[in-house]
Amino acid sequence: MYEEYPGFFSPNDNDKIWRYIDFTKFVSLLDRQALYFNRADKFPDKFEGSFSKANIDQRLIVYKGVPIASSTNILKLLQKFRKMIAINCWHLSEFESAAMWKIYLKSDEGIAIQSTFGKLKNCFNNFKDPVYIGKVNYIDYQRDWVPEGSIFYPYLHKRNSFEYEKELRVVFARFPISEDGKSIDYEKDTFGEGDFIPIDLNILIERVYVSPTAPLWFTELVTSVLKKYGFEKEIVQSSLSEGPIY
């Protein structure tokens, strides 16, 4: 279930969001009726879940007079927590993105799920554990401070080079408890590579966009597959490949 979390900044309920996927992942989504959450340490960005250089350099100044753990111990804990946090990513924009089509699809047979923030947060209503949703902040990791006070905050910050992603993140944590039930067992693996979280697809999906370069037969296939799984959603052939009208 979606829950608000301090420090997570959300868009308006009607703001559009997009998830660009290939056809096999689209079929998997329909078949499982679940969103895949990638384990935080499995993302290609090595900075994922880390604090900035500014945090390391300024921590003793910011917390002057306050007893804190050493930076070395903090970094070790961050590495361990990366295996306990999983993330599902969306693109926040009022319009489909030509760049996102090119970056996230390996062929012409691509799909973009178009939804809204309100629909995304409500599609988790039947999932008992909390999920948190927030916009990613893009910062200079040499000079800018990443807020501290929660293990989640580093996952809402990325380097400025990724600003084109306009990312909205769904964050889910699963902390393995020790046998005595009194602490976190940092050696247990609770996610594997990631995990699927069940959702209500009828709530989530507003429209299905088909790749700008997809042939007509592919659009017909998408229509057929949706019907076979019992979904009646608007299907839009992307117009990005159309020529201008002079």
Side-chain angles (χ1 to χ4, degrees), residues 6-214:
F8 277 60
F9 298 100
S10 304
N12 296 319
D13 279 359
N14 292 326
D15 286 351
K16 290 182 180 180
I17 59 172
W18 308 75
R19 184 162 173 83
Y20 295 83
I21 54 177
D22 59 35
F23 183 67
T24 54
K25 290 182 179 178
F26 177 63
V27 174
S28 174
L29 173 68
L30 298 177
D31 187 58
R32 292 176 179 268
Q33 297 195 42
L35 285 175
Y36 183 72
F37 281 65
N38 203 48
R39 201 173 82 182
D41 64 333
K42 297 299 181 181
F43 283 95
D45 182 9
K46 294 180 180 179
F47 280 70
E48 193 67 61
S50 70
F51 286 106
S52 68
K53 184 177 183 298
N55 286 79
I56 305 302
D57 294 342
Q58 301 174 26
R59 192 169 281 142
L60 292 177
I61 299 173
V62 172
Y63 296 109
K64 185 177 181 180
V66 179
I68 60 170
S70 70
S71 292
T72 300
N73 290 335
I74 291 174
L75 292 174
K76 286 181 179 179
L77 281 177
L78 280 176
Q79 292 294 324
K80 292 180 181 294
F81 278 126
R82 292 174 79 209
K83 297 181 179 180
M84 305 174 196
I85 293 174
I87 298 168
N88 181 260
C89 307
W90 292 77
H91 177 68
L92 181 61
S93 175
E94 282 302 300
F95 308 98
E96 61 177 303
S97 167
M100 293 296 106
W101 281 119
K102 292 180 180 179
I103 292 169
Y104 288 100
L105 301 180
K106 298 178 181 178
S107 71
D108 294 337
E109 299 167 13
I111 297 294
I113 303 297
Q114 186 262 301
S115 186
T116 65
F117 171 63
K119 290 178 179 294
L120 177 64
K121 68 181 185 181
N122 290 329
C123 78
F124 294 100
N125 284 346
N126 294 324
F127 184 61
K128 64 177 183 178
D129 296 323
V131 298
Y132 312 113
I133 307 176
K135 295 190 288 186
V136 171
N137 295 299
Y138 300 94
I139 65 171
D140 184 336
Y141 266 63
Q142 295 295 315
R143 298 182 298 179
D144 293 336
W145 175 270
V146 176
E148 299 189 1
S150 170
I151 61 169
F152 295 126
Y153 294 159
Y155 299 98
L156 296 179
H157 293 78
K158 296 181 74 171
R159 288 172 290 169
N160 283 326
S161 299
F162 294 93
E163 192 170 9
Y164 66 90
E165 293 178 343
K166 298 180 181 179
E167 193 172 337
L168 182 73
R169 290 191 150 185
V170 189
V171 181
F172 173 56
R174 187 182 286 151
F175 302 113
I177 305 301
S178 60
E179 292 184 4
D180 62 11
K182 296 180 180 179
S183 61
I184 295 175
D185 186 339
Y186 292 100
E187 303 307 319
K188 283 186 179 178
D189 186 350
T190 58
F191 275 118
E193 296 286 315
D195 204 357
F196 289 91
I197 291 183
I199 56 166
D200 189 330
L201 274 181
N202 269 317
I203 292 177
L204 176 66
I205 299 176
E206 187 164 88
R207 296 180 186 86
V208 175
Y209 279 68
V210 178
S211 166
T213 54

